[in-house]
Amino acid sequence: MFLTEEDYKIVADQRTLDTIQQFEESTRLRAEKTAIEEVSTYLRGKYDVLAIFAATADARNHLIVTITCDVSLYHLASWLPGKMGLEIRIERYDRAIAQLRDIAKGNITPDLPLLTDDNGQSTGGSISFGSDDANEYDW
């Protein structure tokens, strides 16, 4: 998988992770799959998400690792009985989603592989279009 248990130590201690994943690695892995898909929905229009999430070790983008951990922990915490510790998870999740929206808009430009066509030309990105305000000249 894209994330390792070690990655979570940036955003949670081991005891918290054990509690949130209910001491079952399979629960964490399901949440990671959900988080990867959620993060991908924000990046897919411009970036090569297959390459991003296929990267391992230090080849991964650490901002995306942290964001994916936060999203995964949010989903894990929301499954807990009584929603224990959900406040901090909601706060970090909201921040992660805001960062993803900024990446999608181009306000933040992390070092991620762009989508390319068969010729190696970048295909991702956005196109801005519009016009000036209409003039109302009466002569």
Side-chain angles (χ1 to χ4, degrees):
M1 288 288 304
F2 177 70
L3 297 177
T4 67
E5 194 165 330
E6 188 72 21
D7 294 326
Y8 288 94
K9 292 183 179 176
I10 296 171
V11 295
D13 62 18
Q14 187 63 46
R15 194 178 108 201
T16 301
L17 180 60
D18 288 341
T19 302
I20 289 176
Q21 73 178 356
Q22 302 172 22
F23 294 95
E24 292 184 30
E25 185 180 10
S26 63
T27 303
R28 190 189 83 240
L29 295 175
R30 279 191 320 229
E32 286 175 9
K33 288 178 184 179
T34 301
I36 287 170
E37 181 56 31
E38 186 169 354
V39 171
S40 295
T41 62
Y42 289 93
L43 304 176
R44 194 171 280 127
K46 182 175 183 178
Y47 299 101
D48 185 352
V49 294
L50 294 177
I52 291 168
F53 291 109
T56 58
D58 282 338
R60 301 173 300 167
N61 181 287
H62 295 287
L63 176 62
I64 300 302
V65 169
T66 303
I67 288 172
T68 308
C69 284
D70 280 330
V71 173
S72 179
L73 285 172
Y74 169 78
H75 290 298
L76 281 169
S78 66
W79 296 337
L80 285 176
K83 311 292 188 237
M84 302 180 320
L86 190 58
E87 299 82 25
I88 187 68
R89 295 295 131 218
I90 289 172
E91 185 179 315
R92 290 194 61 91
Y93 174 81
D94 289 344
R95 194 172 107 212
I97 296 303
Q99 287 178 315
L100 287 170
R101 286 183 179 141
D102 281 342
I103 291 170
K105 289 179 185 175
N107 297 339
I108 298 175
T109 54
D111 185 20
L112 296 172
L114 296 172
L115 283 174
T116 57
D117 61 14
D118 294 336
N119 298 325
Q121 297 294 320
S122 177
T123 60
S126 58
I127 298 173
S128 296
F129 60 92
S131 63
D132 290 333
D133 292 334
N135 293 323
E136 296 183 24
Y137 298 123
D138 292 327
W139 307 42

